[in-house]
Amino acid sequence: AKCAELQKQIELLKKEVEKINPYAYWREKPNKEFGEKYSETYILSHVPNLIPNHGAGHDMAGKHYSNIEVKSCRMTFKEKWTMNQMHPDEADAYLFVWYNCEEGTQEICFISTEELLKSCKMSKQHGDGCFTLGATINNRNALKNYMVSSWEELNKKV
C-alpha cells in the first residue's frame, strides 16, 4: 500500500513539473518520437497557421509557405547541435526549434530556404540533395538574424 501511495505522489509531482516545464521529460524520448510526436505536435498546438504537410523533405505548411521542414533539438541554442537529413530543394523554409529541457524555454528560428542557402554552410550528408547543418560559429551567427521571439510571432511569419 505504501508503494502504491508513493507512486501516486510521484505521478502527481511529474504532472506538476510538466505544468511548469512542458519539456522536462523530453530528453528521455527516442529521437524520432521526440521530433514527430512531441516537437511537431507541440509546435502545431501553438502555431495555428501551421498544418501538417508530411512529404519528402518537409513536415508542415503555412499561409505563406507550402513546404516547411521542421528540425528540433533538446538543448540550448549555445550548445553543439547538428541538423541532419536536410533537403533544401524540397522545402520552402526551415523551422528550427531548440528546447531547453532544464529551464522549459525554447529558441525558435524561421528562415526561408533561399536565405538559409545564402547565409549558412551545409555539408553533403549522403545521396542526392541531402545535407547536414552544423553548429559552426558562422552558422549560429547567421541563424541569429532569423530568430523569432515567440510562437505568436512565428504564427504571423508562416
Side-chain angles (χ1 to χ4, degrees), residues 39-48 50-52 54 60:
S39 179
E40 288 182 22
T41 301
Y42 189 82
I43 292 165
L44 289 167
S45 74
H46 283 76
V47 185
L50 287 175
I51 58 167
H54 294 284
M60 297 179 188

Side-chain angles (χ1 to χ4, degrees), residues 23 39 42-44 46-48 50 95-97 99 106-108 148-158:
Y23 319 134
S39 179
Y42 189 82
I43 292 165
L44 289 167
H46 283 76
V47 185
L50 287 175
L95 172 58
F96 300 113
V97 184
Y99 297 97
Q106 71 281 323
E107 298 278 342
I108 306 166
V148 178
S149 64
S150 66
W151 297 116
E152 294 80 16
E153 183 184 344
L154 177 63
N155 193 53
K156 293 174 186 170
K157 290 184 177 286
V158 298

Side-chain angles (χ1 to χ4, degrees), residues 63-131:
K63 284 186 170 186
H64 309 292
Y65 297 89
S66 300
N67 300 312
I68 300 169
E69 177 68 358
V70 178
K71 297 293 181 182
S72 307
C73 285
R74 295 166 280 193
M75 60 185 57
T76 64
F77 185 60
K78 295 168 188 75
E79 292 182 43
K80 296 274 186 213
W81 48 262
T82 303
M83 303 297 186
N84 291 315
Q85 297 181 349
M86 296 179 60
H87 300 268
D89 57 330
E90 297 169 359
D92 301 323
Y94 282 84
L95 172 58
F96 300 113
V97 184
W98 294 270
Y99 297 97
N100 184 324
C101 296
E102 280 108 36
E103 296 176 13
T105 60
Q106 71 281 323
E107 298 278 342
I108 306 166
C109 177
F110 186 73
I111 184 171
S112 71
T113 300
E114 182 180 344
E115 288 300 316
L116 178 72
L117 294 173
K118 281 188 217 173
S119 306
C120 296
K121 295 208 185 288
M122 295 191 290
S123 56
K124 200 156 192 80
Q125 188 176 2
H126 59 76
D128 290 332
C130 190
F131 295 87

